[in-house]
Structures are given as C-alpha cells and as structure tokens.
C-alpha cells in the first residue's frame, strides 16, 4: 500500500463528495486511530462524527501544503485548508500537524493545532465541530 498523506486524506474526506465516508476513512486511517485537535482528543468514532458534520457544511475547497516531512513512521506538515461552506462563506485555516503512521501507510495518530487565518470568526470551530 502506498503511504497516505494529508492531501489525499483531506481530498477524499471533504472534497470528493461521491466517495463513501467509511471508505475514505478506511483508506487513510487505522481502526485504532486517535486524533488531538487544539488539545481535544477523539477516537476514530469521534473523528467520523466530525467528518460527517463537516461534510454537511462544506461544499468545496482545496488544501495547500507548505511543508511536509517524513521520517520512518513519523509524518509532519504545515498546510492551509480553504473551504467553501453551505452558507456561502469561504474560510482559510492553517494547520500544524504531527502524526504517527501505521506499517501499512495509514494514519494511526494525528496531533494538530489550527489557526483561522481568513474568514468569519465562527468558522474557527470547523476543526472540532461534531
């Protein structure tokens, strides 16, 4: 299996509406996946709830990678996600991400911090909504 990266994961999760969410999650995240965003931990079930909610409010967008590093099972990047919401607003969020990859190339754990760089202040919660 080709190791995943955040671009492929985000594109499948948010910007490929015809792709089944369960298939997208299985493609990029292990069954024991855990994530901490802005200090709040969630397990894979919580992550799926988060993605389900995001899919209900995001109508399109793209991801831009600024830096990306791999070292064995360790992965880190800094990226910006631009989203167009169902209410017509556009926002840009910068993300600092550190991850551990499973031997099969999927994400096992992600720890990230987000910063809304452009958009309505209410869109600052997109990284954690459920």
């Amino acid at each position: 299996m080709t190791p995943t990266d955040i671009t492929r994961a985000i594109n499948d999760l948010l910007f490929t509406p015809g792709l089944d969410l369960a298939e997208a999650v299985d493609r990029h995240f292990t069954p024991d996946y855990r994530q901490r965003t802005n200090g709040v931990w969630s397990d894979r079930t919580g992550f799926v709830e988060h993605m389900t909610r995001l899919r209900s409010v995001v109508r399109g967008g793209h991801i831009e990678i600024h830096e990306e590093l791999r070292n064995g099972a360790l992965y880190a990047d800094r990226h910006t996600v631009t989203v167009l919401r169902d209410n017509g607003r556009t926002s840009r969020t910068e993300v600092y991400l550190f991850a551990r990859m499973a031997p099969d190339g999927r994400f096992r754990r992600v720890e990230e911090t987000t910063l809304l760089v452009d958009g309505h202040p209410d869109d600052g919660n997109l990284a954690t909504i459920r």
Side-chain angles (χ1 to χ4, degrees):
M1 174 181 245
T2 302
T4 193
D5 58 39
I6 199 63
T7 300
R8 283 184 283 224
I10 294 293
N11 282 333
D12 282 355
L13 292 167
L14 290 181
F15 305 135
T16 308
L19 179 61
D20 179 70
L21 180 58
E23 182 181 341
V25 172
D26 285 342
R27 186 180 291 175
H28 300 285
F29 303 91
T30 61
D32 62 343
Y33 178 70
R34 294 187 69 221
Q35 178 169 317
R36 183 172 69 169
T37 302
N38 298 332
V40 177
W41 280 102
S42 61
D43 59 11
R44 184 173 157 136
T45 300
F47 177 71
V48 170
E49 290 172 4
H50 169 62
M51 284 298 127
T52 300
R53 179 75 172 114
L54 274 178
R55 277 186 166 201
S56 76
V57 299
V58 171
R59 294 295 169 252
H62 65 276
I63 181 170
E64 177 184 358
I65 301 296
H66 305 292
E67 287 97 21
E68 184 176 45
L69 303 165
R70 286 184 191 269
N71 183 10
L74 301 177
Y75 174 92
D77 80 23
R78 182 175 67 89
H79 64 270
T80 301
V81 179
T82 301
V83 297
L84 172 61
R85 295 211 32 194
D86 58 340
N87 59 15
R89 292 195 309 235
T90 299
S91 65
R92 289 182 39 235
T93 301
E94 189 170 357
V95 181
Y96 298 82
L97 180 146
F98 297 90
R100 179 164 296 278
M101 309 302 286
D104 67 3
R106 294 183 293 171
F107 288 108
R108 173 166 279 148
R109 186 188 77 230
V110 165
E111 297 185 48
E112 63 184 7
T113 299
T114 67
L115 173 66
L116 181 67
V117 292
D118 188 34
H120 192 279
D122 289 348
D123 291 343
N125 75 341
L126 288 176
T128 56
I129 65 167
R130 286 197 188 173

